[in-house]
């Protein structure tokens, strides 16, 4: 597996160990436990689950029974068992370990391949909730969850797709799983969810893609799947609440040449210049970082940025941003003001990916 190292960029005696933004934590809030499906009101299951959540001894007994019910010949019993396990894992973190140790993971994975959409949805979401426990991630992946989750991403309900994206994100936090997820066909489906999903779907897809695309082969898969178009469109829409997330995903893609070309072909340069003009401080900084990467070795792209009017907002930003942001902006301004010859850039740049 080839994981991308930070970009080392040197220009005019300045060195940047990493062209990305320091803190992406607020742009990408983790996919937490599922936000769909609560306790049935005024039911025996409600009382049973509340008791289980409060009483360790009762929860152990209930979990064993529910895991057994997952193998029932009755679809209704399977649905109820998967729903209750999903809720137990959602509402009490210690139950995630208990449920996994009781042997629930393999039968839940089997449910993900069910033709019944709600059985599949509960299976996907139960696996998501179990994957919130770090101790369970390797077991879930080694038990064969990746391919069924990818199928759910293709064929499931909107909730199943969103929760499958979150589950794949969680599994991708184990570095060895990133290539397996990419090779399973997940990337084009996540790009489709990014482009066509609702707000939660777009957010979950962008978060999963951000994690997966730290691996070079997944970057190329994402570009080949057409990711640049939805990224540029979302970055251009300041009302989408997706500008930061889309920009962060773009920032991990642009070290590969295919991504730089695709970004320009999809009209990304005017959008990035506009972000530097009117975006938030963080949005401006990441736009500068992206432009710096695409301009570092391309006279054509530098010319396009300059003709788009990029220098005046960069000058303004260089006078108001953080020290790190100012340095990036000043370096980009110097690049844009160079004579239109590639030799100067070649003498002053050293990029390793």
């Amino acid at each position: 597996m080839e994981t991308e190292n930070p970009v080392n960029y040197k220009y005019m005696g300045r060195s940047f160990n990493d062209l990305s933004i320091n803190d992406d934590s607020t742009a990408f809030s983790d996919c937490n436990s599922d936000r769909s499906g609560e306790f049935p009101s005024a039911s025996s299951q409600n009382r049973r689950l509340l008791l289980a959540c409060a009483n360790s001894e009762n929860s152990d007994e209930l979990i064993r029974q529910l895991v057994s019910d997952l193998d029932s010949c009755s679809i209704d019993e399977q649905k109820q068992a998967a729903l209750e396990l999903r809720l137990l894992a959602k509402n009490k973190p210690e139950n995630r370990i208990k449920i996994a140790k009781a042997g629930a993971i393999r039968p839940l994975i089997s449910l993900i391949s069910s033709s019944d959409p709600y059985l599949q949805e509960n299976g996907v979401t139960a696996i998501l909730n179990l994957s919130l426990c770090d101790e369970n991630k390797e077991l879930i992946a080694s038990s064969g969850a990746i391919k069924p989750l990818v199928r759910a991403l293709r064929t499931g309900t909107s909730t199943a797709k969103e929760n499958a994206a979150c589950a794949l994100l969680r599994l991708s936090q184990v570095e060895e799983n990133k290539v397996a997820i990419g090779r399973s066909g997940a990337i084009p489906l996540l790009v489709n969810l990014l482009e066509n999903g609702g707000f939660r779907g777009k957010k979950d897809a962008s978060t999963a893609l951000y994690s997966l695309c730290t691996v070079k082969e997944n970057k190329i898969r994402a570009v080949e799947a057409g990711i640049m178009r939805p990224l540029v469109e979302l970055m251009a829409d300041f009302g989408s609440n997706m500008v930061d997330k889309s920009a962060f995903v773009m920032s991990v893609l642009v070290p590969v040449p295919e991504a730089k070309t695709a970004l320009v072909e999809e009209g990304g340069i005017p959008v990035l210049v506009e972000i530097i003009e009117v975006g938030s401080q963080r949005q401006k900084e990441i736009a500068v970082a992206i432009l710096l990467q695409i301009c570092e070795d391309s006279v054509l792209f530098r010319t396009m940025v300059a003709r788009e009017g990029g220098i005046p907002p960069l000058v303004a930003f260089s006078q108001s941003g953080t020290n790190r942001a100012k340095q990036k902006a000043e370096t980009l301004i110097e690049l844009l003001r160079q004579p239109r010859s590639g030799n100067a850039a070649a003498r002053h740049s050293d990029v390793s990916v």
Side-chain angles (χ1 to χ4, degrees), residues 162-180:
E162 292 162 357
N163 288 343
C166 277
L168 290 169
L169 164 67
R170 287 291 178 173
L171 297 184
S172 76
Q173 292 168 347
V174 177
E175 197 68 23
E176 293 74 17
N177 291 336
K178 292 182 179 182
V179 168

Side-chain angles (χ1 to χ4, degrees), residues 38-205:
E38 293 299 336
F39 293 114
S41 59
S43 67
S44 60
Q45 287 85 2
N46 184 6
R47 292 190 295 273
R48 208 162 47 133
L49 283 167
L50 288 173
L51 180 62
C53 286
N55 187 302
S56 177
E57 182 178 347
N58 283 327
S59 71
D60 291 345
E61 181 180 350
L62 175 58
I63 287 168
R64 285 192 295 270
Q65 180 58 53
L66 292 173
V67 172
S68 177
D69 289 346
L70 291 175
D71 292 321
S72 171
C73 296
S74 165
I75 289 181
D76 288 338
E77 286 187 8
Q78 289 180 314
K79 284 182 183 178
Q80 188 62 42
L83 172 63
E84 295 192 22
L85 287 168
R86 156 186 174 170
L87 294 173
L88 284 168
K90 172 181 179 177
N91 288 283
K92 199 168 185 183
E94 54 265 39
N95 284 338
R96 296 166 191 159
I97 296 176
K98 292 181 181 179
I99 292 168
K101 288 184 176 179
I105 288 175
R106 287 187 183 275
L108 284 171
I109 291 172
S110 297
L111 298 187
I112 297 175
S113 299
S114 172
S115 59
D116 183 292
Y118 296 104
L119 190 55
Q120 180 191 58
E121 182 181 309
N122 281 321
V124 167
T125 312
I127 288 295
L128 163 61
N129 291 348
L130 293 176
S131 73
L132 301 179
C133 172
D134 288 341
E135 294 179 35
N136 290 339
K137 290 174 185 173
E138 290 188 18
L139 178 58
I140 291 170
S142 66
S143 298
I146 291 173
K147 288 184 178 179
L149 286 170
V150 171
R151 284 197 294 272
L153 200 55
R154 180 183 296 110
T155 65
T157 65
S158 59
T159 297
K161 289 178 180 179
E162 292 162 357
N163 288 343
C166 277
L168 290 169
L169 164 67
R170 287 291 178 173
L171 297 184
S172 76
Q173 292 168 347
V174 177
E175 197 68 23
E176 293 74 17
N177 291 336
K178 292 182 179 182
V179 168
I181 293 170
R183 292 177 181 176
S184 71
I187 302 293
L189 297 170
L190 288 167
V191 171
N192 182 64
L193 186 60
L194 177 69
E195 186 167 17
N196 299 309
F199 174 69
R200 186 192 159 195
K202 292 178 188 296
K203 181 177 73 68
D204 294 343

Side-chain angles (χ1 to χ4, degrees), residues 209-242:
L209 286 162
Y210 181 74
S211 175
L212 290 167
C213 288
T214 58
V215 176
K216 185 174 182 179
E217 66 180 72
N218 286 343
K219 297 180 198 288
I220 295 171
R221 288 191 180 95
V223 174
E224 291 175 345
I227 193 173
M228 280 300 169
R229 177 174 295 178
L231 288 180
V232 169
E233 290 176 350
L234 289 167
M235 288 170 63
D237 182 1
F238 285 89
S240 69
N241 292 319
M242 287 290 298

Side-chain angles (χ1 to χ4, degrees), residues 274-292:
E274 182 182 14
I275 289 173
I276 297 171
E277 290 175 338
V278 301
S280 68
Q281 285 294 107
R282 181 169 68 175
Q283 290 166 358
K284 291 178 181 182
E285 183 174 348
I286 194 166
V288 169
I290 293 169
L291 285 174
L292 190 52

Side-chain angles (χ1 to χ4, degrees), residues 12 35 100 107 111 162 211 235 266 278 302 307 322 339 348:
M12 299 292 284
R35 285 149 281 181
L111 298 187
E162 292 162 357
S211 175
M235 288 170 63
E266 294 296 342
V278 301
R302 293 201 297 270
R307 288 179 178 172
T322 64
H348 293 297

